[in-house]
Amino acid sequence: MRSASPPCWSASASSSWRIAEGAAALPEQHPLVDGPAPHTAEPARSTRPDGARASRNAALDGLRGLAIVLVVLGHAGTVLWPTLVVGEQGPYGVPVLRGLLGGGAVIVFFVVGAFIVTLGLLRESARGTMDPARFLLRRLVRLGVQLVLLATALVLVQLLDPTAPGSMQGLVQNLGHVLTFTLNLLPLDHATPVRADVGHLWYLSVQQQCYPVLPLFVLAFARRRIVGALVLVGLISVVYLHRVEVFDEYGWVLASILTTTRSDGLFWGVLLALALPLLSRFRRWSWPLTIGALGALACQLAIQELPPFSYLGPWSLVYQLFIGLVVVAIWLQTTPSVVSRGLAVAPLTWLGRNSLTIYFWHLPVFFVVARHVGERPWWVGAALSFFVVAVLVVVLERVLEQPTRHLLATHPLFRRQVPRPDGGAA
Protein backbone atom coordinates (compact mmCIF):
# COMPACT_ATOMS: atom_id res chain seq x y z
CA MET A 1 0.00 0.00 0.00
CA ARG A 2 1.26 3.49 -0.80
CA SER A 3 0.94 6.94 0.76
CA ALA A 4 2.83 6.11 3.92
CA SER A 5 4.82 9.29 4.31
CA PRO A 6 4.05 12.61 6.00
CA PRO A 7 1.82 14.53 3.62
CA CYS A 8 2.30 17.73 1.75
CA TRP A 9 -0.65 20.08 1.28
CA SER A 10 -2.50 22.16 -1.28
CA ALA A 11 -5.49 24.49 -1.27
CA SER A 12 -8.69 24.39 -3.29
CA ALA A 13 -10.49 27.46 -4.62
CA SER A 14 -12.99 27.25 -1.80
CA SER A 15 -10.16 27.56 0.74
CA SER A 16 -10.69 24.07 2.09
CA TRP A 17 -7.36 22.39 2.47
CA ARG A 18 -6.49 19.01 1.11
CA ILE A 19 -3.19 17.25 1.47
CA ALA A 20 -1.53 14.81 -0.85
CA GLU A 21 1.11 12.35 0.23
CA GLY A 22 3.30 12.00 -2.79
CA ALA A 23 0.87 10.88 -5.44
CA ALA A 24 -2.29 9.99 -3.57
CA ALA A 25 -4.59 12.13 -1.48
CA LEU A 26 -5.66 10.81 1.89
CA PRO A 27 -9.00 11.27 3.61
CA GLU A 28 -9.29 13.80 6.43
CA GLN A 29 -6.18 15.63 5.33
CA HIS A 30 -4.63 18.63 7.05
CA PRO A 31 -2.01 21.22 6.05
CA LEU A 32 -0.03 21.09 9.28
CA VAL A 33 2.18 18.15 8.43
CA ASP A 34 5.72 17.63 7.18
CA GLY A 35 8.48 20.03 6.31
CA PRO A 36 12.22 19.96 6.79
CA ALA A 37 14.23 21.33 9.57
CA PRO A 38 16.14 24.17 7.99
CA HIS A 39 19.80 24.99 8.35
CA THR A 40 19.30 26.81 11.67
CA ALA A 41 21.91 24.95 13.69
CA GLU A 42 24.92 26.88 14.89
CA PRO A 43 28.16 25.39 13.60
CA ALA A 44 30.05 23.44 16.22
CA ARG A 45 33.77 24.02 16.34
CA SER A 46 36.33 21.27 16.52
CA THR A 47 39.96 20.71 17.37
CA ARG A 48 40.40 18.57 14.27
CA PRO A 49 42.47 19.85 11.31
CA ASP A 50 40.79 22.50 9.16
CA GLY A 51 40.68 20.21 6.12
CA ALA A 52 38.90 17.40 7.96
CA ARG A 53 36.52 19.86 9.61
CA ALA A 54 35.67 21.50 6.28
CA SER A 55 35.02 18.11 4.68
CA ARG A 56 32.80 17.06 7.57
CA ASN A 57 30.78 20.29 7.57
CA ALA A 58 30.36 20.12 3.79
CA ALA A 59 29.01 16.56 4.02
CA LEU A 60 26.49 17.52 6.70
CA ASP A 61 25.42 20.52 4.63
CA GLY A 62 25.04 18.17 1.68
CA LEU A 63 22.84 15.85 3.74
CA ARG A 64 20.59 18.78 4.56
CA GLY A 65 20.70 19.87 0.95
CA LEU A 66 19.52 16.47 -0.20
CA ALA A 67 16.69 16.56 2.34
CA ILE A 68 15.50 20.00 1.24
CA VAL A 69 15.46 18.86 -2.40
CA LEU A 70 13.23 15.91 -1.56
CA VAL A 71 10.85 18.07 0.45
CA VAL A 72 10.61 20.86 -2.12
CA LEU A 73 9.93 18.41 -4.95
CA GLY A 74 7.31 16.65 -2.85
CA HIS A 75 5.56 19.92 -2.08
CA ALA A 76 5.80 21.11 -5.68
CA GLY A 77 4.06 17.94 -6.79
CA THR A 78 0.91 18.94 -4.91
CA VAL A 79 0.91 22.64 -5.85
CA LEU A 80 2.66 23.27 -9.16
CA TRP A 81 1.80 20.15 -11.13
CA PRO A 82 -1.37 18.80 -9.46
CA THR A 83 -2.23 16.47 -12.38
CA LEU A 84 0.76 14.35 -11.40
CA VAL A 85 -0.83 13.41 -8.07
CA VAL A 86 -3.94 11.89 -9.65
CA GLY A 87 -3.97 8.17 -10.19
CA GLU A 88 -0.71 6.59 -11.26
CA GLN A 89 0.73 9.33 -13.46
CA GLY A 90 4.25 10.66 -13.61
CA PRO A 91 7.05 9.80 -11.16
CA TYR A 92 4.51 9.30 -8.36
CA GLY A 93 3.27 6.22 -10.15
CA VAL A 94 6.64 4.46 -10.19
CA PRO A 95 6.79 1.93 -7.32
CA VAL A 96 9.66 2.34 -4.85
CA LEU A 97 11.15 5.38 -6.61
CA ARG A 98 8.12 7.45 -5.63
CA GLY A 99 9.36 7.14 -2.05
CA LEU A 100 11.98 9.78 -2.91
CA LEU A 101 9.10 12.25 -3.30
CA GLY A 102 7.15 10.98 -0.32
CA GLY A 103 8.44 12.96 2.66
CA GLY A 104 10.17 11.85 5.84
CA ALA A 105 13.03 14.35 5.55
CA VAL A 106 11.89 16.21 8.66
CA ILE A 107 13.59 13.50 10.71
CA VAL A 108 16.91 14.29 9.03
CA PHE A 109 16.72 17.88 10.16
CA PHE A 110 15.57 17.07 13.67
CA VAL A 111 18.57 14.78 14.14
CA VAL A 112 21.21 16.92 12.41
CA GLY A 113 20.07 20.19 13.96
CA ALA A 114 19.88 18.87 17.52
CA PHE A 115 23.23 17.10 17.14
CA ILE A 116 25.08 20.24 16.03
CA VAL A 117 23.34 22.58 18.49
CA THR A 118 24.07 20.22 21.39
CA LEU A 119 27.73 19.97 20.43
CA GLY A 120 27.92 23.76 20.46
CA LEU A 121 26.33 23.89 23.92
CA LEU A 122 28.68 21.20 25.22
CA ARG A 123 31.62 23.19 23.95
CA GLU A 124 30.35 26.35 25.65
CA SER A 125 29.78 24.41 28.87
CA ALA A 126 33.38 23.12 28.80
CA ARG A 127 34.71 26.65 28.22
CA GLY A 128 32.55 28.15 30.95
CA THR A 129 30.66 30.40 28.54
CA MET A 130 27.28 28.69 28.65
CA ASP A 131 24.46 31.23 28.88
CA PRO A 132 20.93 29.83 28.33
CA ALA A 133 19.46 33.32 27.91
CA ARG A 134 21.93 34.24 25.17
CA PHE A 135 21.35 30.87 23.50
CA LEU A 136 17.60 31.46 23.32
CA LEU A 137 18.13 35.03 22.12
CA ARG A 138 20.33 33.74 19.30
CA ARG A 139 17.64 31.26 18.31
CA LEU A 140 14.93 33.92 18.27
CA VAL A 141 17.00 36.32 16.17
CA ARG A 142 18.24 33.59 13.84
CA LEU A 143 14.70 32.54 12.96
CA GLY A 144 12.93 35.83 13.58
CA VAL A 145 14.65 37.89 10.90
CA GLN A 146 13.29 35.58 8.22
CA LEU A 147 9.90 34.97 9.84
CA VAL A 148 9.12 38.69 10.23
CA LEU A 149 10.04 39.30 6.60
CA LEU A 150 7.94 36.34 5.45
CA ALA A 151 4.97 37.49 7.55
CA THR A 152 5.22 40.98 6.05
CA ALA A 153 5.30 39.57 2.54
CA LEU A 154 2.26 37.37 3.17
CA VAL A 155 0.28 40.31 4.57
CA LEU A 156 1.14 42.38 1.49
CA VAL A 157 0.05 39.55 -0.80
CA GLN A 158 -3.22 39.23 1.10
CA LEU A 159 -3.82 42.98 0.69
CA LEU A 160 -2.80 43.36 -2.95
CA ASP A 161 -3.58 40.02 -4.58
CA PRO A 162 -7.30 39.57 -5.35
CA THR A 163 -6.74 35.82 -5.80
CA ALA A 164 -5.33 35.37 -2.29
CA PRO A 165 -7.33 32.73 -0.37
CA GLY A 166 -8.84 33.11 3.06
CA SER A 167 -9.19 36.34 5.04
CA MET A 168 -6.80 38.82 6.57
CA GLN A 169 -8.06 37.86 10.01
CA GLY A 170 -7.27 34.20 9.40
CA LEU A 171 -3.82 35.07 8.06
CA VAL A 172 -3.02 37.26 11.06
CA GLN A 173 -4.11 34.51 13.44
CA ASN A 174 -1.90 31.99 11.64
CA LEU A 175 1.06 34.37 11.59
CA GLY A 176 0.61 35.05 15.29
CA HIS A 177 1.08 31.34 15.96
CA VAL A 178 4.02 31.19 13.54
CA LEU A 179 5.84 34.08 15.22
CA THR A 180 5.27 32.68 18.70
CA PHE A 181 6.24 29.14 17.65
CA THR A 182 2.86 27.67 18.56
CA LEU A 183 1.59 26.79 15.09
CA ASN A 184 1.56 23.09 15.96
CA LEU A 185 -1.07 23.88 18.62
CA LEU A 186 -3.42 25.61 16.17
CA PRO A 187 -5.40 22.44 15.29
CA LEU A 188 -6.54 22.38 18.91
CA ASP A 189 -8.42 25.61 18.14
CA HIS A 190 -11.03 24.39 15.70
CA ALA A 191 -12.26 27.94 15.07
CA THR A 192 -9.08 28.92 13.20
CA PRO A 193 -8.23 26.94 10.06
CA VAL A 194 -4.57 26.40 9.22
CA ARG A 195 -3.37 28.07 6.04
CA ALA A 196 -1.57 25.81 3.62
CA ASP A 197 1.07 28.42 2.75
CA VAL A 198 2.39 28.52 6.34
CA GLY A 199 1.50 25.02 7.56
CA HIS A 200 5.01 23.70 6.91
CA LEU A 201 6.34 25.95 9.69
CA TRP A 202 4.97 23.60 12.36
CA TYR A 203 8.46 22.12 12.64
CA LEU A 204 9.79 25.34 14.16
CA SER A 205 7.21 25.07 16.92
CA VAL A 206 8.42 21.63 17.95
CA GLN A 207 12.04 22.73 17.82
CA GLN A 208 11.61 25.99 19.68
CA GLN A 209 9.43 24.44 22.36
CA CYS A 210 12.23 21.97 23.13
CA TYR A 211 15.24 24.27 22.87
CA PRO A 212 14.58 26.38 25.99
CA VAL A 213 15.21 23.24 28.06
CA LEU A 214 18.24 22.05 26.08
CA PRO A 215 20.89 24.33 27.69
CA LEU A 216 19.65 23.33 31.14
CA PHE A 217 19.84 19.67 30.15
CA VAL A 218 23.42 20.13 28.94
CA LEU A 219 24.39 21.90 32.16
CA ALA A 220 22.91 19.05 34.17
CA PHE A 221 24.42 16.15 32.22
CA ALA A 222 27.58 17.45 30.52
CA ARG A 223 29.62 15.68 33.22
CA ARG A 224 27.15 12.82 33.64
CA ARG A 225 26.79 11.74 30.06
CA ILE A 226 25.82 8.14 30.74
CA VAL A 227 22.97 9.27 32.97
CA GLY A 228 21.97 11.88 30.41
CA ALA A 229 21.97 9.27 27.64
CA LEU A 230 19.74 6.98 29.69
CA VAL A 231 17.33 9.86 30.30
CA LEU A 232 17.21 10.54 26.57
CA VAL A 233 16.57 6.90 25.76
CA GLY A 234 13.65 7.05 28.16
CA LEU A 235 12.34 10.26 26.57
CA ILE A 236 12.57 8.80 23.07
CA SER A 237 10.61 5.75 24.22
CA VAL A 238 7.96 7.88 25.94
CA VAL A 239 7.52 10.14 22.90
CA TYR A 240 7.15 7.16 20.58
CA LEU A 241 4.61 5.41 22.81
CA HIS A 242 2.70 8.66 23.29
CA ARG A 243 2.63 9.18 19.51
CA VAL A 244 1.08 5.76 19.02
CA GLU A 245 -1.47 6.51 21.74
CA VAL A 246 -2.39 9.91 20.28
CA PHE A 247 -2.69 8.42 16.81
CA ASP A 248 -5.07 5.72 18.05
CA GLU A 249 -7.19 8.13 20.10
CA TYR A 250 -7.11 11.46 18.22
CA GLY A 251 -5.89 10.69 14.71
CA TRP A 252 -2.83 11.27 12.60
CA VAL A 253 -2.85 15.09 12.51
CA LEU A 254 -2.08 15.64 16.19
CA ALA A 255 0.22 12.61 16.23
CA SER A 256 2.21 14.24 13.42
CA ILE A 257 2.75 17.74 14.79
CA LEU A 258 2.70 17.94 18.59
CA THR A 259 5.96 18.41 20.44
CA THR A 260 5.10 15.50 22.72
CA THR A 261 4.69 13.21 19.69
CA ARG A 262 7.43 14.36 17.27
CA SER A 263 10.42 15.35 19.40
CA ASP A 264 12.02 11.90 19.45
CA GLY A 265 14.23 12.76 16.47
CA LEU A 266 15.48 15.84 18.27
CA PHE A 267 16.22 13.80 21.40
CA TRP A 268 18.10 11.29 19.24
CA GLY A 269 20.35 14.07 17.94
CA VAL A 270 21.05 15.24 21.49
CA LEU A 271 21.83 11.66 22.56
CA LEU A 272 24.34 11.22 19.74
CA ALA A 273 26.12 14.42 20.71
CA LEU A 274 26.36 13.30 24.35
CA ALA A 275 27.68 9.89 23.30
CA LEU A 276 30.29 11.25 20.88
CA PRO A 277 33.31 10.71 23.20
CA LEU A 278 32.36 7.06 23.61
CA LEU A 279 31.66 6.62 19.89
CA SER A 280 34.97 8.26 18.97
CA ARG A 281 36.82 5.23 20.36
CA PHE A 282 35.81 3.44 17.18
CA ARG A 283 38.19 4.51 14.42
CA ARG A 284 36.79 3.02 11.23
CA TRP A 285 33.72 4.94 10.11
CA SER A 286 33.66 4.50 6.34
CA TRP A 287 31.67 1.26 6.46
CA PRO A 288 29.20 2.49 9.12
CA LEU A 289 28.64 5.57 6.95
CA THR A 290 27.90 3.39 3.93
CA ILE A 291 25.56 1.17 5.96
CA GLY A 292 23.75 4.19 7.38
CA ALA A 293 23.36 5.81 3.98
CA LEU A 294 22.05 2.62 2.36
CA GLY A 295 19.70 1.99 5.28
CA ALA A 296 18.30 5.53 5.14
CA LEU A 297 17.85 5.23 1.37
CA ALA A 298 16.05 1.91 1.79
CA CYS A 299 13.70 3.46 4.35
CA GLN A 300 13.01 6.40 2.07
CA LEU A 301 12.26 4.16 -0.90
CA ALA A 302 9.97 1.96 1.19
CA ILE A 303 7.86 4.70 2.76
CA GLN A 304 5.31 4.93 -0.06
CA GLU A 305 4.94 1.15 -0.22
CA LEU A 306 4.01 0.78 3.44
CA PRO A 307 0.55 1.26 4.96
CA PRO A 308 -0.60 4.86 5.47
CA PHE A 309 0.91 6.72 8.41
CA SER A 310 3.80 4.30 8.76
CA TYR A 311 6.02 7.33 9.34
CA LEU A 312 4.43 7.53 12.79
CA GLY A 313 5.30 3.94 13.65
CA PRO A 314 8.45 1.80 13.87
CA TRP A 315 9.62 3.11 10.49
CA SER A 316 10.51 6.42 12.13
CA LEU A 317 12.73 4.77 14.73
CA VAL A 318 14.60 2.75 12.11
CA TYR A 319 15.03 5.81 9.90
CA GLN A 320 16.33 7.83 12.86
CA LEU A 321 18.84 5.09 13.62
CA PHE A 322 20.27 5.14 10.09
CA ILE A 323 20.33 8.94 9.86
CA GLY A 324 22.07 9.10 13.22
CA LEU A 325 24.66 6.60 12.00
CA VAL A 326 25.30 8.77 8.95
CA VAL A 327 25.69 11.93 11.04
CA VAL A 328 28.08 10.38 13.58
CA ALA A 329 30.13 8.66 10.87
CA ILE A 330 30.50 11.92 8.94
CA TRP A 331 31.57 13.69 12.12
CA LEU A 332 34.10 11.13 13.28
CA GLN A 333 35.69 9.81 10.11
CA THR A 334 39.25 11.04 9.70
CA THR A 335 39.36 10.90 5.91
CA PRO A 336 36.51 11.48 3.43
CA SER A 337 34.76 8.40 2.06
CA VAL A 338 32.80 7.85 -1.13
CA VAL A 339 29.54 8.69 0.63
CA SER A 340 30.81 11.84 2.31
CA ARG A 341 32.39 13.04 -0.94
CA GLY A 342 29.09 12.47 -2.71
CA LEU A 343 27.24 14.51 -0.09
CA ALA A 344 29.87 17.27 -0.19
CA VAL A 345 29.36 18.17 -3.86
CA ALA A 346 28.94 21.90 -4.33
CA PRO A 347 25.24 22.00 -5.38
CA LEU A 348 24.12 19.98 -2.35
CA THR A 349 26.24 21.95 0.11
CA TRP A 350 24.91 25.22 -1.31
CA LEU A 351 21.36 23.98 -0.89
CA GLY A 352 22.12 22.82 2.64
CA ARG A 353 23.63 26.13 3.68
CA ASN A 354 20.61 27.95 2.31
CA SER A 355 17.96 25.47 3.41
CA LEU A 356 16.52 27.90 5.98
CA THR A 357 15.59 30.43 3.30
CA ILE A 358 14.40 27.73 0.90
CA TYR A 359 12.29 26.16 3.63
CA PHE A 360 10.61 29.39 4.65
CA TRP A 361 9.80 30.70 1.19
CA HIS A 362 9.22 27.80 -1.19
CA LEU A 363 5.59 27.01 -0.34
CA PRO A 364 4.33 30.64 -0.19
CA VAL A 365 5.98 31.25 -3.57
CA PHE A 366 4.55 28.04 -5.02
CA PHE A 367 1.01 28.98 -4.00
CA VAL A 368 1.23 32.54 -5.37
CA VAL A 369 2.62 31.35 -8.70
CA ALA A 370 0.12 28.50 -8.98
CA ARG A 371 -2.76 30.96 -8.65
CA HIS A 372 -1.49 33.13 -11.51
CA VAL A 373 -0.18 30.74 -14.19
CA GLY A 374 -3.71 29.93 -15.28
CA GLU A 375 -3.98 27.35 -18.04
CA ARG A 376 -0.33 27.53 -19.02
CA PRO A 377 1.67 24.27 -19.04
CA TRP A 378 2.71 23.06 -15.58
CA TRP A 379 6.39 23.52 -16.35
CA VAL A 380 5.90 27.27 -16.75
CA GLY A 381 4.71 27.60 -13.16
CA ALA A 382 7.40 25.23 -11.92
CA ALA A 383 10.20 27.08 -13.70
CA LEU A 384 8.94 30.46 -12.53
CA SER A 385 8.57 29.24 -8.94
CA PHE A 386 12.06 27.76 -8.77
CA PHE A 387 13.51 30.92 -10.34
CA VAL A 388 11.79 33.18 -7.80
CA VAL A 389 12.93 30.99 -4.89
CA ALA A 390 16.49 30.95 -6.24
CA VAL A 391 16.54 34.76 -6.54
CA LEU A 392 15.19 35.09 -3.00
CA VAL A 393 17.88 32.74 -1.70
CA VAL A 394 20.72 34.65 -3.38
CA VAL A 395 19.45 38.09 -2.34
CA LEU A 396 18.53 37.17 1.24
CA GLU A 397 21.80 35.32 1.77
CA ARG A 398 23.70 38.48 0.95
CA VAL A 399 21.56 41.15 2.59
CA LEU A 400 20.11 39.24 5.55
CA GLU A 401 21.59 35.84 6.35
CA GLN A 402 25.30 36.71 6.24
CA PRO A 403 24.95 39.84 8.41
CA THR A 404 22.73 37.96 10.87
CA ARG A 405 25.17 35.06 11.25
CA HIS A 406 28.08 37.48 11.72
CA LEU A 407 26.17 39.45 14.34
CA LEU A 408 25.18 36.34 16.28
CA ALA A 409 28.74 34.97 16.19
CA THR A 410 30.56 38.11 17.30
CA HIS A 411 28.38 40.50 19.28
CA PRO A 412 28.70 40.16 23.09
CA LEU A 413 24.93 40.51 23.43
CA PHE A 414 24.61 37.03 21.91
CA ARG A 415 27.77 35.29 23.14
CA ARG A 416 29.58 35.43 26.45
CA GLN A 417 33.24 36.17 25.81
CA VAL A 418 36.00 33.84 27.03
CA PRO A 419 38.28 35.57 29.56
CA ARG A 420 41.95 35.70 28.52
CA PRO A 421 44.95 35.62 30.85
CA ASP A 422 45.80 39.23 29.91
CA GLY A 423 42.37 40.39 31.08
CA GLY A 424 40.84 40.66 27.61
CA ALA A 425 38.21 38.49 25.97
CA ALA A 426 38.70 35.87 23.29
Side-chain angles (χ1 to χ4, degrees), residues 239-306:
V239 169
Y240 173 75
L241 293 175
H242 182 58
R243 180 164 67 234
V244 173
E245 180 183 9
V246 171
F247 175 76
D248 290 339
E249 187 170 352
Y250 300 103
W252 67 274
V253 173
L254 292 181
S256 299
I257 63 174
L258 294 180
T259 300
T260 55
T261 61
R262 292 307 300 272
S263 54
D264 50 331
L266 188 149
F267 293 147
W268 179 232
V270 176
L271 173 58
L272 294 174
L274 278 183
L276 206 59
L278 177 63
L279 296 172
S280 65
R281 297 177 183 178
F282 183 69
R283 299 297 182 183
R284 300 178 181 272
W285 284 100
S286 294
W287 276 110
L289 177 55
T290 302
I291 293 171
L294 292 176
L297 177 61
C299 288
Q300 193 69 60
L301 293 175
I303 187 63
Q304 290 278 28
E305 314 307 317
L306 298 174

Side-chain angles (χ1 to χ4, degrees), residues 145-154 197 200-201 355-367 385 388-389 392-393 396 400:
V145 291
Q146 287 264 22
L147 287 178
V148 170
L149 183 61
L150 176 61
T152 303
L154 289 172
D197 50 0
H200 61 301
L201 300 176
S355 57
L356 177 64
T357 303
I358 297 170
Y359 173 63
F360 281 163
W361 292 90
H362 75 282
L363 264 181
V365 170
F366 287 0
F367 277 109
S385 296
V388 172
V389 172
L392 281 171
V393 168
L396 292 178
L400 190 63

Side-chain angles (χ1 to χ4, degrees), residues 2 6 28 43 106 118 189 212-213 229 236-237 293 314 347 386 396 399 401 424 426:
R2 49 183 315 197
E28 302 179 9
V106 66
T118 303
D189 177 13
V213 184
I236 292 169
S237 302
F386 292 145
L396 292 178
V399 304
E401 286 293 286

